Amino acid sequence: MFSKACEYGIKASIYIALQSIQGERVSLKKIAKEINSPEAFTAKILLQLAKIDIIKSSKGPSGGFEIPKDKIDTIMLADIVFAIDGNSIYEGCALGFNTCNATKPCPIHDKFVNVREELKRMLQNTSLYELATGLEVGLTFLKQRKS
């Protein structure tokens, strides 16, 4: 559903939010390890998020990434998705056709319109704070556990 970059961006943002709630800055290396993503790819994604002020980046020995505590509950998943993937998730065809609309619909166009609207609503109403606190208390996870 999301691009790989967007998946990593969401995971990284949630992890950075959790660390920020706990008063910590986190390094690129630690973020990449915690979300199982390649370091160089993660760096590019974090740079995109820093450019639009979703995360803050600090250089130096005590540097790393963080999100100001007072901002964590105002950043919505939709902000992250838009920063990385734009609006394509709300507009694309479920079957991948280039032209799919009400006048020339794919077989599932009408049903998928509702799915997209519900997804948009969820992304616009879910904050990083909500997701980070789920991690903090152990209700959710950023990595799958090995069985």
Side-chain angles (χ1 to χ4, degrees):
M1 181 167 294
F2 300 113
S3 69
K4 198 51 122 171
C6 192
E7 287 176 18
Y8 289 148
I10 291 169
K11 289 178 186 179
S13 297
I14 295 167
Y15 181 70
I16 295 166
L18 174 61
Q19 297 306 308
S20 297
I21 289 169
Q22 297 171 349
E24 302 289 326
R25 251 188 224 122
V26 63
S27 70
L28 170 63
K29 185 182 268 319
K30 179 83 170 157
I31 295 165
K33 181 180 180 208
E34 287 299 314
I35 67 169
N36 286 333
S37 67
E39 221 173 285
F41 192 40
T42 305
K44 287 173 76 173
I45 296 162
L46 294 177
L47 180 62
Q48 268 183 283
L49 295 173
K51 277 184 183 175
I52 61 162
D53 272 349
I54 288 178
I55 62 173
K56 300 284 182 207
S57 173
S58 305
K59 294 183 181 192
S62 62
F65 296 91
E66 64 184 327
I67 300 170
K69 283 185 186 181
D70 63 336
K71 195 175 173 188
I72 296 171
D73 65 340
T74 66
I75 299 171
M76 300 296 160
L77 278 183
D79 300 326
I80 298 162
V81 171
F82 182 75
I84 298 170
D85 283 351
N87 278 330
S88 62
I89 195 164
Y90 309 126
E91 299 164 357
C93 173
L95 297 180
F97 296 150
N98 288 333
T99 52
C100 176
N101 53 45
T103 57
K104 195 171 180 182
C106 75
I108 61 173
H109 177 81
D110 292 333
K111 293 186 183 291
F112 198 63
V113 167
N114 296 330
V115 171
R116 276 197 304 250
E117 287 172 5
E118 189 58 34
L119 175 64
K120 187 174 191 175
R121 203 171 5 267
M122 182 275 294
L123 293 172
Q124 289 174 334
N125 292 303
T126 304
S127 72
L128 276 183
Y129 181 81
E130 178 183 341
L131 299 173
T133 54
L135 274 180
E136 189 173 34
V137 296
L139 294 175
T140 59
F141 305 91
L142 285 176
K143 287 196 265 189
Q144 289 187 332
R145 293 183 173 179
K146 293 179 183 173
S147 323

